[in-house]
Amino acid sequence: MITIIRVALPVPLAVLFDYQLGNQPVPVKGARVKVPFGSRNLIGIVADYAESSELPLTQIKPLLAILDQQALFSEALWKLLHWAAIYYQYPLGEVLQAALPKALRQGKAASITSSIQWQITPLGRSLLDCSRYSRQAPKQHAALRQLYQQNALIPYAIKQPILRTLQAKGLVQAIQNQPIATPDRLLCQQTEKLLPILTAEQQSAVTSISQQLNRFDVWLLQGVTGSGKTEVYLRLIAQVLAQGKQIILLVPEISLTHQTIDRLQRRLSVPLAVHHSGLSNSERLELWLAAQSEQIVLVVGTRSALFTPFPNLGMIIVDEEHDRSYKQQNGWRYHARDLSILRARNEGIPIVLGSATPALESLYNLHQGKYRSLWLTQRAGGAKSAKQQLIDLKGKPLTAGMSSELLSHIHQHLQAGNQVLLFLNRRGYAPTLLCHDCGWIAACLRCDRYYTFHHHIQKLCCHHCGKQHSLIPQCATCGSTHLITLGIGTEQLELALRLLLPQIPIQRIDRDSTRLKGALARQLATIHQGTPQVLIGTQMLAKGHHFPDVTLVALLDIDAALFSADYRAAERLAQLYTQVAGRAGRASKPGEVILQTHHPQHPLLQTLLLQGYPAFTEQVLEERRQALLPPYVSHAILFAESLQSQRAIDFLIAVRQLFEKTASQANPLWLLGPMPSLQAKRAGYFRWQLLLQHPSRETLQQQLRLYFRNIIALPLARKIKWALDVDPVEG
């Protein structure tokens, strides 16, 4: 007879907590319960049952309340989250809670409180083609278009103030009890005659996956930039939705996917939702509940959208699967791409991993026969690959980081009526402020890193901890006022180009220039007008954008990545170069890519430019194999941070000693450290790490499970910040 309920609580303890059932009915596994915990009451998840406990009944507290009559997790999602808690060595209670909207974690009811939806009125439809209205009220006009394309929307899809304003103008109306989507609503709005004609490779990819829609397969869709991967996604989505099933489309960053979302809304007459950090707690809850009740059938979102509770999931698509943002870097450090594959396997459905530059781990799995490969080698629409050129910077004068050869090319492309994209992955005006008399450099003492000078706000900013400092008028060492800047940032490049090209619009797109809401959308709209202009940007411009009028792309400064201490730096450089270069010549106009470097003969650069990304990855994979680095071995890193450096070191030494107790030739666990992290100090905390490596992923997992509780019990474990990162992508 069940008398004990075992509850997973959102606390940093990898154990379940026992509570008495009392006079209450037995709650189902996966339901929320309210329980006493010390002096607090917490919301936990029922994880198991027992007939007895190791503790005497007098010490076991009763449940306070049962909040759900049904489980909040499907069987496949429940299994996935349990596996993830074990694999990533993270408390089950915190893993389960992380997969729920915050409102549910706070005890809100798991039921839709409103059935109101919104629909465009005839008056609203009459304004869809009104250019004056689109200029005067762009947000309202965009909301009207979205409502028109999707027939009706659940409340969270558009911000409530906008909807209320449109309602007051008579442009939209609230409707009740909109029926749940049925297969006949899930078909493409456009007829096949209006759809783009697929290339032979696109058609082959769509056909191959379509024939296996009812089974688990991992498809690695490798497509050169501009080859039409998104069109393949759209065709597959339409087929899956026509079967009455749901889809999750993961993207690295919502802010960079406006074009993809717009195409989805124009092409598919389905209730879809965009999952992103800008949603309020109530909006996240409504999205979650609408997905669970099938009122929406397609979710586009970043990594946490993976946990959308679709009851009839038909496919998962991971766009730009190589992107590092799929890896959570704090708390529960899961990798959304890897968990997506596991969820697809649990659900028995296909998953598509798309990228022009697949991660080395994905290519390794492809070679091992775990993934199935599809190639798109030709650009769609007749666009040709861009011409590539190296400019050797040694001994050449530079203007704001640009050589005279590059400036000549910029003038040529602008005079031809085209656009130019300049890539510089360093925001701010200059990365260094230096005393010209004594050599002192302004540095953030909390991070031991140099301040970046930002001209627009006249401040020094630390890009590691976020600290800002007023502009220093004189040297802190010798008192000299002769302070100069070294290095080039996007701000300085923009100011220089405004002087060099006074008649040409300059668009700088980085985290600073797009900080205000709607700023990025406005800049992209200006770019798509097609007039000659120069685009300056960081990684925000490197992926996902289609600029049909950009014919010249130039990368100004990437040499640091060639000699980085991080063994992944070369892979990231190749991915970045390929993605940035792919912005050139994507339409009918021929494109050109220029790379400025002081090391034109570097072997990795030569392989990348002359033979392409596939040949580059083969070379790097062989280097990884010889050096015994992932993906040929498995890594885990234990990070430790403390205001006192020695405490972090002592903690990691104690952890190392735990593992060394069972080290033997039969169990070749390799330990490296304690050693400083790549960023040895941040926000005042000294950062150290211990690397654990083993050829067998299973053996490494066994060792971690064996000693994890012992690590938690170490005396220093409560006196410092520490975290375990399994399959790290940084550090």
Side-chain angles (χ1 to χ4, degrees), residues 464-653:
H464 302 279
C465 70
K467 182 181 178 182
Q468 295 187 358
H469 195 290
S470 299
L471 188 60
I472 299 171
Q474 62 187 56
C475 174
T477 300
C478 70
S480 170
T481 58
H482 195 184
L483 303 181
I484 61 174
T485 59
L486 291 180
I488 306 294
T490 52
E491 267 192 348
Q492 186 175 165
L493 183 59
E494 177 190 14
L495 292 174
L497 284 169
R498 291 193 184 281
L499 294 176
L500 293 169
L501 305 168
Q503 305 302 320
I504 299 296
I506 310 294
Q507 303 289 337
R508 174 169 61 89
I509 298 181
D510 56 26
R511 232 180 346 156
D512 299 319
S513 66
T514 60
R515 196 176 301 276
L516 296 178
K517 190 172 182 180
L520 177 59
R522 288 191 294 271
Q523 286 184 290
L524 293 177
T526 301
I527 294 170
H528 285 289
Q529 291 176 0
T531 56
Q533 52 192 296
V534 177
L535 288 54
I536 301 171
T538 57
Q539 289 191 57
M540 293 185 70
L541 282 181
K543 50 196 174 185
H545 296 295
H546 176 67
F547 300 128
D549 296 293
V550 168
T551 55
L552 172 63
V553 167
L555 294 87
L556 270 60
D557 183 11
I558 50 83
D559 284 352
L562 296 172
F563 305 99
S564 172
D566 187 351
Y567 71 88
R568 303 176 189 84
E571 175 190 4
R572 291 171 183 162
L573 169 61
Q575 291 168 342
L576 185 61
Y577 174 81
T578 305
Q579 295 283 344
V580 174
R583 302 310 111 195
R586 291 174 65 94
S588 57
K589 301 177 181 180
E592 182 179 10
V593 180
I594 294 177
L595 173 61
Q596 294 190 146
T597 177
H598 286 88
H599 306 278
Q601 300 306 316
H602 192 287
L604 291 181
L605 276 184
Q606 288 294 315
T607 301
L608 178 62
L609 270 65
L610 297 179
Q611 302 178 51
Y613 185 77
F616 172 88
T617 56
E618 291 296 327
Q619 180 176 331
V620 176
L621 276 171
E622 177 57 23
E623 292 176 358
R624 297 268 187 97
R625 186 190 66 80
Q626 294 180 14
L628 294 178
L629 290 170
Y632 295 93
V633 296
S634 291
H635 275 181
I637 294 181
L638 198 68
F639 294 99
E641 297 183 5
S642 176
L643 293 172
Q644 302 176 33
S645 182
Q646 193 59 45
R647 276 193 173 182
I649 297 172
D650 291 342
F651 170 73
L652 293 179
I653 289 174

Side-chain angles (χ1 to χ4, degrees), residues 222-433:
Q222 303 176 70
V224 299
T225 52
S227 60
K229 292 185 294 296
T230 303
E231 185 61 35
V232 173
Y233 299 158
L234 285 165
R235 300 298 178 99
L236 293 172
I237 289 171
Q239 292 188 26
V240 172
L241 296 181
Q243 295 181 351
K245 297 182 179 181
Q246 294 86 45
I247 283 185
I248 296 173
L249 170 58
L250 295 185
V251 293
E253 298 178 56
I254 285 295
S255 62
L256 306 182
T257 55
H258 295 293
Q259 293 171 336
T260 299
I261 294 170
D262 185 59
R263 287 177 68 180
L264 286 167
Q265 292 172 342
R266 283 188 285 108
R267 288 277 292 275
L268 302 172
S269 178
V270 297
L272 65 85
V274 180
H275 186 284
H276 57 87
S277 58
L279 296 178
S280 67
N281 291 337
S282 59
E283 289 169 337
R284 286 175 181 270
L285 176 58
E286 290 203 46
L287 188 157
W288 192 91
L289 293 170
Q292 190 181 55
S293 61
E294 299 184 73
Q295 291 187 37
I296 56 175
V297 294
L298 171 60
V299 163
V300 182
T302 49
R303 57 177 176 262
S304 59
L306 165 66
F307 307 116
T308 302
F310 279 138
N312 193 18
L313 190 60
M315 178 179 284
I316 300 175
I317 299 173
V318 183
D319 191 29
E320 306 293 355
E321 63 87 29
H322 67 278
D323 200 284
R324 282 188 295 167
S325 61
Y326 286 123
K327 174 74 171 181
Q328 175 77 20
Q329 293 297 341
N330 50 56
W332 172 32
R333 300 186 178 216
Y334 68 91
H335 201 302
R337 179 196 62 212
D338 298 343
L339 288 188
S340 294
I341 294 171
L342 187 62
R343 180 171 184 184
R345 188 180 72 180
N346 292 345
E347 303 267 8
I349 60 173
I351 177 170
V352 180
L353 310 178
S355 177
T357 55
L360 292 186
E361 289 80 6
S362 297
L363 293 173
Y364 174 80
N365 285 325
L366 183 64
H367 297 334
Q368 297 295 309
K370 296 179 181 180
Y371 296 176
R372 302 180 67 175
S373 178
L374 294 169
W375 268 99
L376 303 178
T377 61
Q378 302 295 322
R379 287 187 159 190
K384 297 182 179 180
S385 298
K387 182 177 69 174
Q388 301 183 74
Q389 178 183 348
L390 280 175
I391 294 180
D392 187 351
L393 293 180
K394 290 193 294 291
K396 293 182 178 179
L398 300 177
T399 303
M402 297 176 289
S403 63
S404 58
E405 292 99 321
L406 175 57
L407 287 170
S408 176
H409 281 81
I410 291 174
H411 282 288
Q412 291 174 14
H413 283 263
L414 292 175
Q415 288 172 359
N418 299 317
Q419 297 176 348
V420 173
L421 190 158
L422 302 180
F423 176 82
L424 179 61
N425 205 27
R426 189 184 298 122
R427 60 192 176 94
Y429 184 86
T432 307
L433 182 67

Side-chain angles (χ1 to χ4, degrees), residues 72 575 591 665:
L72 298 180
Q575 291 168 342
Q665 292 184 351

